[in-house]
Amino acid sequence: MTSHKQTEGLTPLQLECKALFKAKQYRSCEIVAQMELSRIEDAAKAAIPLELIGDCAQATQQYRKAISYFRRAAVLLFDDSRLRWKEAQCLSQLGCAMEGAAVLERTKTRSLGMLMTLGHLYLASDRRSDAVNVFLQAVQMNAYALEAIQWLAILNADRNIVMDSVEAGMLHKNQEVSLPVIELTSAYFLQHHNQTSSALTAYLKLEKKFPHNIFILLQIATLQLYMSNETAAENTFQRIRHIDETCMEKMDEYASLLQKKGAIEELNRLASELLELDDKRPEPWIVLALYHYARRDNEKAIAFVDKAISLDTRHAFSHRVKGSVLLADNAPEKAAASFFHANELSRDVASYEGLVECYLARQQYKEAVCMAREAIEIAPRDCRAVTLVGL
């Protein structure tokens, strides 16, 4: 519902544009906005129709056009932060992460959404320390910014500083926080610091407070999988599918269980269902790749993995699967590059296992030992890491 403040000072045509845009009638909205723009004599009043035309272009994925109109509107406003945010989002869609970050860096004020966009642009530009800083600001603004907390754990931010930021975010809301954010934060850090057993215990406690919660169950399933408790992991994934058959997150990891079992028909069915849900995400293509991998058609498997990577270059599991297929195809050098990339995105023992196998296949025993020792450093309590040294 449009508030009085949002509609105050708008002309009748601009109000019609807003209504059309809200109804997702983008072509009609653009035509009306263009007509409104053509009869405005005072250029200073053109910002609203210019922004509306930009909004329509953005909504229809005409990102270059949207950027042009947002820039024209921005020069007419004192505080152009909102328009710069929209411009940065368009640049992100075009793969121009550095340019998008530069645009947001020039904003006078930043909302939670702007901070999260800037953080993701920094990640895409490999500016990890800058990403940590803006994600900390996001958490300080709102303790419920759980995605920011997750990224801080993945980026190996200082746990104490993150906890302080979470508490600051709670105070900033000036009301009682209804979720155990501190406990969630602790679980994130245990999980992403490869303390899998402790992390699993933490999530199981949270699951008792929030039963049938998809997010918590996904973390439990992943940890069970990493701990090689494949039966429990499969049961948890099946439970998730029963609760929400539209869930796509981590379904590629579930597929890896099916691939190990040689459950080809189940893989084929899962791939079809996920592709029907959303073929713009990497998970269904990885499932399809694992289906062909299970059928020993490595060429097709690689093609579908590459499709997944093209959709999301930062999806670590895609690179790990590519490494596994290349290793099975007797290409250890190429496989090592994929495992290394996966490890850069999300450091875990599974990627180190792949790297050690690659070095052993190439008879580079010194490098294999170094990788095994590095795995123990990041996960000293993980039996898989300890086992690597014995290889």
Side-chain angles (χ1 to χ4, degrees):
M1 189 173 179
T2 308
S3 69
H4 175 70
K5 187 174 181 180
Q6 288 175 311
T7 59
E8 189 177 359
L10 296 182
T11 68
L13 274 185
Q14 289 168 3
L15 288 170
E16 290 297 337
C17 285
K18 292 275 187 180
L20 287 166
F21 186 83
K22 188 177 180 181
K24 298 184 179 180
Q25 300 304 304
Y26 305 123
R27 181 58 181 153
S28 298
C29 177
E30 181 183 351
I31 292 170
V32 175
Q34 289 281 13
M35 289 183 170
E36 171 78 341
L37 185 64
S38 67
R39 70 179 189 179
I40 290 177
E41 296 179 359
D42 185 355
K45 296 180 180 179
I48 292 173
L50 286 169
E51 182 178 358
L52 283 164
I53 296 166
D55 287 338
C56 293
Q58 184 179 13
T60 52
Q61 300 181 15
Q62 300 176 73
Y63 299 117
R64 289 291 179 193
K65 179 178 178 178
I67 289 168
S68 173
Y69 278 90
F70 290 146
R71 286 176 177 172
R72 288 170 62 186
V75 298
L76 304 174
L77 299 175
F78 172 71
D79 185 357
D80 60 0
S81 300
R82 185 184 70 257
L83 288 162
R84 294 303 183 195
W85 181 27
K86 292 179 180 181
E87 180 185 347
Q89 289 174 317
C90 291
L91 287 165
S92 177
Q93 289 294 326
L94 292 168
C96 305
M98 293 180 68
E99 189 179 350
V103 167
L104 270 183
E105 285 168 348
R106 296 197 297 269
T107 55
K108 298 180 177 69
T109 57
R110 292 178 195 158
S111 65
L112 177 61
M114 292 177 192
L115 288 169
M116 293 304 296
T117 299
L118 184 55
H120 283 290
L121 288 166
Y122 283 148
L123 286 173
S125 307
D126 203 28
R127 295 169 61 180
R128 295 167 72 91
S129 61
D130 289 325
V132 166
N133 289 334
V134 295
F135 286 140
L136 283 171
Q137 291 174 46
V139 175
Q140 290 161 11
M141 186 178 289
N142 189 333
Y144 286 129
L146 300 180
E147 183 190 356
I149 298 172
Q150 267 193 303
W151 274 113
L152 289 165
I154 292 168
L155 293 168
N156 201 28
D158 187 293
R159 185 179 183 276
N160 293 329
I161 293 174
V162 175
M163 286 296 189
D164 289 343
S165 297
V166 169
E167 291 178 2
M170 291 176 176
L171 291 172
H172 187 265
K173 288 191 72 68
N174 199 27
Q175 65 185 53
E176 184 179 349
V177 176
S178 304
L179 282 178
V181 182
I182 293 293
E183 290 89 337
L184 273 168
T185 304
S186 178
Y188 288 156
F189 271 81
L190 289 168
Q191 180 179 4
H192 292 291
H193 288 191
N194 292 288
Q195 298 179 42
T196 49
S197 180
S198 298
L200 180 58
T201 300
Y203 282 119
L204 287 170
K205 286 181 181 177
L206 286 165
E207 206 265 333
K208 288 179 180 177
K209 295 180 181 178
F210 301 93
H212 316 302
N213 180 275
I214 295 293
F215 171 77
I216 293 172
L217 287 172
L218 283 169
Q219 311 316 309
I220 290 171
T222 304
L223 289 163
Q224 289 169 333
L225 181 59
Y226 289 175
M227 294 173 73
S228 300
N229 192 346
E230 294 179 358
T231 301
E234 186 174 358
N235 289 337
T236 306
F237 276 121
Q238 288 174 349
R239 186 178 164 197
I240 292 164
R241 295 273 295 161
H242 180 73
I243 295 169
D244 182 5
E245 61 184 13
T246 66
C247 177
M248 298 189 73
E249 188 178 353
K250 296 186 183 294
M251 286 302 115
D252 46 359
E253 298 193 35
Y254 171 44
S256 70
L257 281 171
L258 300 177
Q259 178 261 321
K260 286 180 184 177
K261 286 174 56 180
I264 292 175
E265 290 304 316
E266 289 179 62
L267 276 168
N268 190 27
R269 185 165 54 251
L270 180 62
S272 297
E273 290 173 1
L274 294 181
L275 282 166
E276 192 173 329
L277 283 170
D278 188 353
D279 63 359
K280 298 296 189 293
R281 288 181 59 135
E283 292 93 342
W285 299 102
I286 291 298
V287 178
L288 197 54
L290 289 167
Y291 165 73
H292 288 288
Y293 185 34
R295 298 180 66 204
R296 294 186 170 86
D297 189 342
N298 293 349
E299 187 176 346
K300 282 187 178 178
I302 289 293
F304 286 120
V305 171
D306 286 339
K307 171 68 175 179
I309 291 171
S310 73
L311 291 169
D312 184 357
T313 58
R314 298 193 60 80
H315 188 57
F317 191 68
S318 298
H319 296 282
R320 200 192 311 158
V321 170
K322 185 172 184 178
S324 297
V325 178
L326 286 168
L327 189 57
D329 213 26
N330 294 316
E333 189 171 349
K334 292 179 179 178
S338 292
F339 284 123
F340 186 78
H341 197 165
N343 211 30
E344 279 189 321
L345 294 169
S346 180
R347 188 164 292 191
D348 57 42
V349 176
S351 296
Y352 280 108
E353 285 178 319
L355 283 166
V356 169
E357 287 183 38
C358 289
Y359 286 128
L360 289 175
R362 295 164 63 188
Q363 298 184 337
Q364 293 178 284
Y365 303 116
K366 184 178 178 181
E367 289 82 355
V369 170
C370 287
M371 284 295 105
R373 287 175 177 168
E374 197 173 313
I376 290 177
E377 285 178 16
I378 68 144
R381 300 176 188 174
D382 194 313
C383 60
R384 294 174 304 162
V386 177
T387 305
L388 285 178
V389 178
L391 292 176

